[in-house]
Amino acid sequence: MRYHSTRTPAGEGLQFCDILLAGLAPDGGLYLPEQYPDITGLLPGWRKLLAEQGYAAVAAEVLGLFVDDIPEAELQRICAAAYSTDNFASADIVPVSELGANRWLAHLSDGPTAAFKDMAMQLLGRLFEYELERRGENLTVLGATSGDTGSAAEYAMRGRDNLTVFMLTPRGRMTPFQQAQMFSLDEPNIHNLAVDGVFDDCQDLVKAVNSDAAFKARHRIGAVNSINWARLVAQVTYYVVAWLRVTSSESEKVTFCVPTGNFGNICAGHVARQMGLPIGRLLLATNENNVLDEFFRTGVYRVRAAAETHETSSPSMDISKASNFERFVHDLFAGDADRVRELFAERLVTDGFFDLSGTPEFAGLGGRFGFASASSTHADRLATIERTWREHRVLIDPHTADGVKVADELARDDESVVILETALPVKFAATIREAVDREPDRPEAFVGIEDLPRHVVDLPNDVDAVKRFITERLSGG
């Protein structure tokens, strides 16, 4: 298996471990495999493997299709260490529960930071550690977070001698719990930076640093955001496992409803569908920041400025520039790298939008790729949280509520739908109290977390300020 950038035609590509450490491609594109493997004939064996050996064994099989430069035994060991009860509250790793007729909830938030980002980060940290030790190198991880990616990355990589993490956050835009999870960490290899701006500004800073080839090489800059292919392919596994858990035959189709802002979570579902997993449709749920919903309804992809990005009660989706969307557009145009480069490196930069509504590719989008979309509001979230609690005695977080609302709106009664849970309600207690007038349960590990000392540095929205901070910290300043 070889990999190439979305902006470069497929050719003599890189191996998995090369793109694992590289993150963003030098041309500004995102890495993709030169082809997606076909898993249709593997599903019966994986069903048996899941029953006998569990989630980690299936994860090793899925990842092994994309990795030919890590020995099979090492890959199995890494997956077993990542997906164990030392890190996750349930031996199932991803339990699936019923949520009414033909509806299921895939629980992705039983990891150490109570968010679905743990599903990939626990694996990514160990993959980084393995490859860096093999090469005798260090890596500087630079990331941006709207709430959950940062804490998941930091908890997965804290205390690792060959990794230093710099995480950019939008100042004041995360919940008190999300801030406390990150800023309470007092580890020498973890650095939290609060940027004057929104998540998209943080994401732009990460891309700007990565585009400086000399700086990136000098400081060995890598990525943990979903621009990193290894993180995205790790998420494919929970689609496979959730499908196996709610079906009884290999011909049975399941629809997935996915809350998403940066298009990473649902992009993994798109990849799974392209690999042959029997996914009927992919229902995309956004909040008031509905850039992606607008595209799938109209064909217009228009990024928003910081002033147009709403601060909502599902803050991890307060995103108006969806990085992973480029991977989907690459597939939409059948791997036409020149077209992708024109759209993302030229038209989006100069015009702030592009319009595919008149193209034959967009006209056939729903049938070829199975996407449908809708958005949700604060009032929708409150009503959905309240109803789900009242009818099912299941308490869901605001982002998951966006997914449940969109599933209710778009799914047919006879359509089997798995809704991906994104976080535990405790991370968004104020919204939970408003919806159901009760405190969400708090795992013992998080008791008193908001009262711990904070370790965070405020920075302006300026790439040179970020570079100076990285340089000073790596040089011992």
Side-chain angles (χ1 to χ4, degrees):
M1 182 68 75
R2 292 293 185 272
Y3 297 85
H4 66 99
S5 168
T6 50
R7 302 182 188 182
T8 302
E12 199 163 316
L14 299 170
Q15 289 187 291
F16 177 84
C17 285
D18 293 321
I19 67 163
L20 166 70
L21 300 182
L24 199 67
D27 62 5
L30 280 69
Y31 286 113
L32 273 176
E34 292 184 349
Q35 68 279 326
Y36 294 124
D38 184 354
I39 64 172
T40 51
L42 301 174
L43 293 173
W46 287 358
R47 189 181 296 279
K48 182 180 180 183
L49 188 66
L50 179 64
E52 294 178 352
Q53 298 184 39
Y55 188 96
V58 176
E61 291 289 317
V62 172
L63 198 61
L65 298 174
F66 294 91
V67 179
D68 56 12
D69 49 353
I70 298 178
E72 181 180 358
E74 282 296 322
L75 205 54
Q76 291 172 344
R77 179 191 63 78
I78 290 168
C79 288
Y83 301 118
S84 73
T85 51
D86 290 338
N87 302 316
F88 292 88
S90 167
D92 285 344
I93 308 302
V94 177
V96 177
S97 62
E98 290 189 34
L99 198 67
N102 293 325
R103 300 290 183 268
W104 290 270
L105 197 62
H107 299 270
L108 305 180
S109 303
D110 286 338
T113 70
F116 82 95
K117 306 295 177 75
D118 290 321
M119 298 304 306
M121 289 300 182
Q122 285 297 314
L123 180 67
L124 193 60
R126 288 165 175 80
L127 287 170
F128 277 159
E129 187 172 52
Y130 165 81
E131 184 60 13
L132 291 171
E133 287 180 354
R134 190 182 71 81
R135 297 185 181 201
E137 297 177 357
N138 296 322
L139 186 69
T140 302
V141 173
L142 177 63
T145 183
S146 55
D148 294 326
T149 293
S151 56
E154 291 178 356
Y155 276 70
M157 298 178 194
R158 59 181 176 171
R160 299 186 189 274
D161 294 336
N162 48 14
L163 286 166
T164 303
V165 178
F166 294 88
M167 191 61 61
L168 307 182
T169 64
R171 189 181 312 154
R173 287 269 184 158
M174 302 188 302
T175 69
F177 186 97
Q178 288 175 309
Q179 293 180 52
Q181 269 194 311
M182 294 181 61
F183 302 161
S184 63
L185 285 177
D186 185 14
E187 301 278 351
N189 70 324
I190 302 295
H191 303 280
N192 285 303
L193 311 178
V195 172
D196 184 18
V198 299
F199 168 77
D200 295 319
D201 296 317
C202 299
Q203 188 165 248
D204 287 344
L205 289 171
V206 171
K207 291 180 179 179
V209 172
N210 273 275
S211 68
D212 184 338
F215 186 89
K216 181 177 180 178
R218 183 163 65 252
H219 296 296
R220 296 288 292 133
I221 303 290
V224 292
N225 284 67
S226 49
I227 59 174
N228 189 308
W229 171 256
R231 180 181 148 186
L232 191 142
V233 77
Q235 295 174 259
V236 171
T237 301
Y238 56 68
Y239 282 89
V240 173
V241 168
W243 179 87
L244 289 170
R245 289 201 161 126
V246 302
T247 62
S248 57
S249 73
E250 273 54 66
S251 61
E252 191 173 345
K253 287 191 174 182
V254 173
T255 286
F256 284 84
C257 188
V258 188
T260 190
N262 212 20
F263 204 75
N265 199 2
I266 202 165
C267 190
H270 162 69
V271 171
R273 193 175 189 270
Q274 295 302 104
M275 291 166 63
L277 190 68
I279 294 176
R281 293 195 295 162
L282 290 164
L283 307 181
L284 182 151
T286 69
N287 62 15
E288 293 89 337
N289 297 295
N290 61 348
V291 171
L292 291 169
D293 176 36
E294 181 178 74
F295 171 80
F296 282 99
R297 286 187 293 102
T298 70
V300 176
Y301 179 68
R302 182 178 68 87
V303 300
R304 312 288 199 264
E308 298 178 272
T309 302
H310 304 287
E311 187 172 357
T312 78
S313 53
S314 51
S316 297
M317 300 197 304
D318 290 350
I319 297 170
S320 294
K321 297 177 184 178
S323 282
N324 263 285
F325 186 57
E326 184 169 333
R327 284 189 169 112
F328 173 72
V329 173
H330 179 275
D331 289 348
L332 182 65
F333 285 100
D336 186 342
D338 292 335
R339 188 69 186 275
V340 173
R341 186 170 58 253
E342 175 205 347
L343 292 174
F344 285 90
E346 298 172 19
R347 197 177 305 177
L348 201 60
V349 173
T350 57
D351 300 334
F353 76 97
F354 55 76
D355 184 355
L356 304 183
S357 60
T359 65
E361 288 82 4
F362 181 76
L365 185 152
R368 286 175 58 207
F369 298 106
F371 276 93
S373 70
S375 60
S376 179
T377 67
H378 179 67
D380 292 328
R381 285 187 280 282
L382 295 180
T384 303
I385 292 168
E386 189 279 329
R387 180 180 57 78
T388 305
W389 174 247
R390 173 169 40 83
E391 294 181 359
H392 305 290
R393 307 314 287 176
V394 174
L395 200 56
I396 56 175
D397 84 286
H399 308 78
T400 306
D402 288 333
V404 172
K405 183 265 181 183
V406 168
D408 288 344
E409 179 179 342
L410 297 181
R412 301 181 301 269
D413 289 342
D414 62 348
E415 189 173 15
S416 296
V417 180
V418 173
I419 301 150
L420 297 189
E421 175 215 49
T422 61
L424 293 186
V426 67
K427 304 191 84 165
F428 310 96
T431 302
I432 301 302
R433 288 193 297 270
E434 186 178 359
V436 296
D437 194 28
R438 61 158 284 175
E439 289 290 332
D441 293 337
R442 177 174 290 236
E444 187 177 347
F446 301 131
V447 173
I449 193 171
E450 293 92 341
D451 299 325
L452 296 175
R454 292 161 58 99
H455 305 278
V456 59
V457 175
D458 290 342
L459 282 185
N461 181 10
D462 178 74
V463 66
D464 291 328
V466 173
K467 288 180 180 177
R468 282 195 301 272
F469 186 89
I470 292 173
T471 300
E472 288 171 2
R473 290 302 184 272
L474 291 179
S475 63

